[in-house]
Amino acid sequence: MNKNQSLPWDHPRFRSWIAVARACQLMQQSLTRSLADLDIKPPHLDILVNLYRFEGISQQELARKLLVGRSNMSMLLPQMEKRGLIERRDDARDKRVLRLYLTVEGRRMTEAAMAIQTDLIERTLSDEPIEQCMATATSMERIIGVLLQDLRDED
């Protein structure tokens, strides 16, 4: 590379990309530590929160929302079912489809975990003005849209 060409880290967009990636990684690490007393990890929380919001969602719909493969779901769901956090029920109309529901214990766990996550978010972002939080969210949502479109184009 000649000295007139700039390096990737010299570009503002590269710096932004790296900052987002690092913040995401550190937030995941902090969330993992914060959830340790509940004996769940962020992927479990993602499942629990989605079942809390979308009771009766199918395994396939859940995998699509979480951007993970069905094999990943196949590993996590039985663990959570064994712990009594979720239950799988046959779909009334299509016996090939399993619907997912929180148990009473799963709902209690989800509410406790959401409180921990909300506290972490508040502590982390409390100095950020709401307008900046909304601008960041809008920017990230646009990036998510671009990346999802790239994935669809590859399929």
Side-chain angles (χ1 to χ4, degrees):
M1 193 172 259
N2 72 43
K3 62 182 176 180
N4 290 333
Q5 287 181 309
S6 58
L7 298 167
W9 47 86
D10 294 332
H11 294 277
R13 287 185 177 102
F14 186 88
R15 179 179 172 206
S16 176
W17 182 270
I18 295 301
V20 167
R22 291 198 60 187
C24 184
Q25 187 174 29
L26 288 167
M27 195 66 138
Q28 286 287 6
Q29 289 173 2
S30 294
L31 185 58
T32 298
R33 282 192 308 277
S34 297
L35 293 172
D37 287 344
L38 296 178
D39 194 28
I40 62 171
K41 293 185 168 56
H44 300 113
L45 178 59
D46 290 341
I47 291 169
L48 293 170
V49 168
N50 273 278
L51 297 185
Y52 194 91
R53 289 185 70 199
F54 307 108
E55 187 174 51
I57 192 172
S58 73
Q59 287 184 211
Q60 188 172 4
E61 291 167 321
L62 179 62
R64 196 171 26 254
K65 279 188 177 301
L66 296 179
L67 304 173
V68 298
R70 284 190 300 217
S71 62
N72 202 9
M73 286 286 111
S74 299
M75 290 178 6
L76 291 171
L77 294 177
Q79 296 170 1
M80 297 175 76
E81 195 171 30
K82 188 175 181 179
R83 284 186 60 187
L85 301 175
I86 66 166
E87 60 184 18
R88 295 186 267 190
R89 300 181 202 155
D90 290 331
D91 183 277
R93 286 174 262 158
D94 186 345
K95 295 298 179 199
R96 298 170 297 173
V97 176
L98 288 174
R99 300 269 168 205
L100 302 169
Y101 297 86
L102 291 174
T103 62
V104 171
E105 174 61 16
R107 185 164 291 280
R108 185 198 65 73
M109 174 78 73
T110 303
E111 289 170 353
M114 286 190 304
I116 290 168
Q117 183 181 39
T118 300
D119 180 62
L120 177 60
I121 291 168
E122 279 301 313
R123 285 187 293 112
T124 305
L125 297 175
S126 64
D127 289 339
E128 287 295 311
I130 293 298
E131 300 78 23
Q132 182 63 42
C133 290
M134 294 308 294
T136 300
T138 299
S139 181
M140 293 300 104
E141 288 162 355
R142 189 193 61 71
I143 290 168
I144 289 165
V146 169
L147 294 171
L148 286 173
Q149 186 59 51
D150 286 352
L151 286 174
R152 285 190 287 270
D153 291 347
E154 288 176 11
D155 290 341

